[in-house]
Amino acid sequence: MTALALHRGRFSLDGSRELAGTGTLARLALRRDRIFLVIWVYALVGSLAATTYSYRGLYVTAAQRASLAQAIRTNPSFLVLSGPVFGDSLGALIIWKAGLFIVVLAALLGIFAVIRHTRADEEAGRLELVGATVVGRYAALAAALTVTIGVSLLIGLLIAVVQMVFGLPVAGSLALGAATALAGCLFAAVAAVCAQLTESARTARGMAIGVLGAAYLLRALGDPAAQLSWLSWASPLGWIERVQPYAGPRWWLLLVGAAVTVVLAAAAAVLAGGRDLGAGLVPARPGRAQAAGWLRGPLGLAWRLQRGGLAGWVLGVAVSAVVLGAAAKGIGATLNSSPQVRAEIVRMGGRAGLVNAYLAIEFALLSVMAAAYGVSAVLRLHSEEAEGRAEVMLAGPVRRAGWVAAEVVLAFGGIALLMAVAGVCSGLGYGARTGAEGTEVGRQLGAALVQIPAAWLLAGVAVALFGLAPRVTVPAAWTVLAVAALLALLGPSLRLPGWLLDLTPFSHVPKLPGGDFTATPLIWLTAIAAGLTVAGLIAFRRRDLT
């Protein structure tokens, strides 16, 4: 039977022609993303495996698990952050702890991969070059969706296998894997639609992430309040968490999500058939006839390009910090459910009280987010160079050192801003529940600021890689960040040796609030970050543009 294809906004029976070259482009996408995809698969499967391993040792009795489940249900902050807990089995607690985090990561994978191989390639002119050969109109879109959906299904399968290896129920493990895969597939389709709407890959990516953020917000508003539970049902993330893998899986919700994915993918094809190559359905807003004076230098231009992204990061960190800070009020009852958990919190956050230890872990987590912003901001240098815009800029009266320095200043300054926001918002969240806003804001602000040098060091690694090894800058920078984060956040629970934990800069930061402040490690971290940055700048000045 001849497949139906969409051509110029209408149905065409020549499906093989419109999809010609899909397999070749899919293999090319896999070749280009072989490192990128491996990192994502490792991060998703490894994070869940580490959580499962940890929880098996932390909650060893049914009474401990039931106590934790009850503490979660009575703490609105936990429900906002991670969603409801369905039952008190080990699998249900693992889903509450890591399930939403894994689902969001899978959704981001779907967004990044599809935009990269559709709108980003189109914006860079690669699809126009490829389209001049024997390649169908919808081949790039079909290849991007095929690869992304295939990788999402592989991740789901690996998650199911890992959970079964740990001894968790087969049906629940399969449902968890399917729900995680569904998140990647569904938001890949969302990204495919967004890629048709705008001429800019950055804008398309922002649209898709905005949809994900809205889905998270609807779920966060609906989960704690019974009268607003309909909001959770209006969110795709709400559907996915209500699959409740280890508490009687609701398979029909997976079918609903799969149907929505198919509809969105078909809509993306219809939209792709109704526009010209390189154009978006939503016209770009014309700029001003003359640029403002502050845009004449590289720092002003960098700020103009990054301010929207930085605002999104600030909002995300602020919301996370408020929720995490508010959750500290009831952390004692939660930790009392298991002496093993109390010991782990003390090991990771210090020995100056459970609340202080919990807050120290919170700021370590938020500092990883700040470091991720810093790395992404530095990697703009690589994307500008790879897409030819750096060559045009540097052909004018702009020095290499000035161009790199502008991006680095924003990256390092953004990290400091994010951690300051984290400290203030966490203090407000905790203070609002305890009535001690006046003292908590200042105390927690200091605890957040000491995390800055560790995040700076990882941004400095990205600068050094940009100058010394431009071909592997992106995968290497993200790999270093991922390894450092996993060692810091999961290493103590996994009982890793001390010398291995010392490899991450986060382990050298004072355990504040509550711990002893020592300036020496912060000075060393800052000095190393500065040295890496200078090394990257010198190397970039001496090498050719790629």
Side-chain angles (χ1 to χ4, degrees), residues 10 47 96 165 168 177 189 192 205 258 275 279 305 312 452 470 479 515 546:
R10 300 179 179 179
S47 297
W96 171 80
V165 168
L168 294 173
R205 198 177 296 115
R275 65 176 181 85
L305 294 174
I452 292 174
T479 299
T546 55

Side-chain angles (χ1 to χ4, degrees), residues 283-303:
R285 185 179 63 180
R288 296 169 54 182
Q290 293 183 343
W294 58 272
L295 282 174
R296 294 176 181 174
L299 182 59
L301 178 60
W303 166 249

Side-chain angles (χ1 to χ4, degrees), residues 113-127:
V114 168
I115 296 296
R116 171 177 167 81
H117 294 293
T118 54
R119 177 52 63 180
D121 279 352
E122 196 169 337
E123 184 181 12
R126 287 187 286 268
L127 286 189

Side-chain angles (χ1 to χ4, degrees), residues 296-298 393-403:
R296 294 176 181 174
M393 180 179 294
L394 295 175
V398 176
R399 301 181 62 182
R400 287 193 177 198
W403 177 60

